[in-house]
Amino acid sequence: MRRTSRRPDAPPRAALARLLAVPALLTGLAAAVAVAAEASHEVEGRRSGWLYNSPETQALQDDEFINPGMFAVERGRTLWSTPEGSAGKSCASCHEEGSMRGVAARYPVYDEKRGGLVDLTTRVNLMRTELMGAPALGYEAADMLAMTAYLGRESLGMPMQVAVDGPARPFFEEGRAFYFARRGQLNLSCAQCHDDLAGRKLRGDTISQGQINGFPIYRLLWRAMGSRHRMFEWCNTSLRAEPYPAGSREYLSLELYVAWRGRGLPIETPAVRR
Amino acid sequence: MRRGRAAVAGLALAALAAGGGAGAAELAPLTAQPGDPARGRDVVRDLTKATCLICHALPIPEEPNPGNIGPNLAGVGARFSAGELRARVVDATTINPNTVMPPYFRTEGLNRVLARWRGQTIYSAQEVEDVVAYLGTLRQP
């Protein structure tokens, strides 16, 4: 498989002192890689899920030759320039190489034409149905996850930065309300776990801050890639709460709030999670 | 006999609903049949019933990997009366409105419960009694 070594500019490094304070979990070269990565997984107290992973899972993510999510990225790279649909076009027919850099970091966005939020998945489907004459793909379709993984990878290292003002504001407020509302038979809100209990043990699992800078992720539990909305669905059903459909207004608004909550965290797609 | 048991449960729930806050810190038995601690020990480990081990350590040697979100429950039987333990298991929000501990015997006022579980409590009344009886045996800190 082709693996380009093209990596975006390294994110700003934290003070050397902080790097040295990191307990050495690994030795040798692996430690150097892990420590360099550590510098970019926390921004003003906002912490990537990477920091809550075991050293083994971290190493799996950091090495792009063994990261299982890289298969999806490579597949997406191929699809990018493969014509599909009745118009006989590929993404590359209209978009220049490198033009997608930074896009994933500012999604979801408010879309004038649709009068609502559009996430990366919906954007890809709009391209397919309106400009390519190709059918829409499901949220978790392998080729959709491949494309969103590729687009995410194009923003590797760039800080998540979503717009929440103007017409996006009502959606943002809805997402925030969702995040703080208790739900399900277990009667818990997202905030109770991911704000208040991050770092604590929920049985075998260490609870993270529930950040979305690594999506789509390769989740070992799923043995598959999964979208942000699939993760929301998983957390909802774990609480025995009725989930919303992927792509629903509720999950798009939640996604906007959660992306803002993690503002500044560098994109690390495809993240590997437990 | 049946009717009597239901009446006891009804009374206890009425006390809970009316009391709230500190008033509900103790709760009368939900069933006429006393709890069985051995059964309670199985119930608290049941993965399909939001096991207490997600959040609490318990003195159960076969369970070496509990969560650490709530306090260790070893010795809890010496710290609380059966009525106090029952109130916590039934609905811990009556003691701490912000608690993360799930309500094991409540169906009212919950938001978007999965269709499969709607209108059902996590524990049956008898399971609450079994668990309370088991917790009562945990007297060593």
Side-chain angles (χ1 to χ4, degrees), chain A residues 181-188 192-193 196-197 199-204 207 236-237 240-244, chain B residues 47-48 53-54 63 65 67-69 97-100 102-103 110-115 117-118 120-122:
Chain A
R182 285 182 183 261
R183 63 191 71 238
Q185 195 187 39
L186 270 55
N187 200 34
L188 288 167
Q192 283 182 293
C193 279
D196 304 342
L197 297 174
R200 304 283 281 278
K201 287 263 184 239
L202 195 70
R203 205 117 203 249
I207 303 181
N236 275 175
T237 40
R240 295 184 174 177
E242 204 67 65
Y244 290 87
Chain B
L47 290 174
T48 67
L53 292 155
I54 299 172
E63 301 285 357
N65 205 14
N68 63 0
I69 287 159
N98 298 319
T99 191
V100 297
L110 300 178
N111 180 17
R112 276 185 80 82
V113 175
L114 263 178
W117 305 104
R118 213 167 292 153
Q120 298 171 52
T121 53
I122 301 174

Side-chain angles (χ1 to χ4, degrees), chain A residues 103-126:
Chain A
V103 171
R106 56 182 170 73
Y107 267 64
V109 296
Y110 178 81
D111 185 280
E112 292 283 343
K113 220 162 73 187
R114 293 168 62 88
L117 295 179
V118 165
D119 63 354
L120 217 47
T121 302
T122 312
R123 178 66 74 211
V124 171
N125 269 337
L126 288 171

Side-chain angles (χ1 to χ4, degrees), chain B:
Chain B
M1 200 60 195
R2 264 257 164 80
R3 195 172 293 150
R5 200 180 300 168
V8 174
L11 264 182
L13 286 177
L16 177 69
E26 291 226 33
L27 212 54
L30 303 182
T31 63
Q33 185 181 329
D36 172 351
R39 282 212 47 221
R41 189 179 187 275
D42 290 339
V43 174
V44 297
R45 296 176 61 195
D46 190 336
L47 290 174
T48 67
K49 295 185 168 135
T51 172
C52 318
L53 292 155
I54 299 172
C55 296
H56 293 285
L58 277 162
I60 301 181
E62 311 91 285
E63 301 285 357
N65 205 14
N68 63 0
I69 287 159
N72 191 326
L73 295 182
V76 88
R79 293 202 294 280
F80 296 102
S81 70
E84 288 170 328
L85 291 170
R86 189 176 294 106
R88 278 168 176 76
V89 174
V90 165
D91 183 0
T93 63
T94 58
I95 292 131
N96 169 13
N98 298 319
T99 191
V100 297
M101 182 161 152
Y104 284 86
F105 195 73
R106 164 182 159 193
T107 53
E108 296 303 307
L110 300 178
N111 180 17
R112 276 185 80 82
V113 175
L114 263 178
R116 192 171 154 221
W117 305 104
R118 213 167 292 153
Q120 298 171 52
T121 53
I122 301 174
Y123 285 169
S124 68
Q126 196 57 53
E127 284 168 337
V128 171
E129 292 309 311
D130 294 342
V131 167
V132 168
Y134 164 67
L135 296 174
T137 67
L138 307 180
R139 310 197 68 86
Q140 294 292 335

Side-chain angles (χ1 to χ4, degrees), chain A residues 9 24 58 91 123 128 142 145 157 159 170 218 230 272:
Chain A
D9 2 328
Q58 290 173 342
C91 317
R123 178 66 74 211
R128 294 176 56 87
L145 290 168
Y218 185 90
R230 180 173 179 188
V272 180

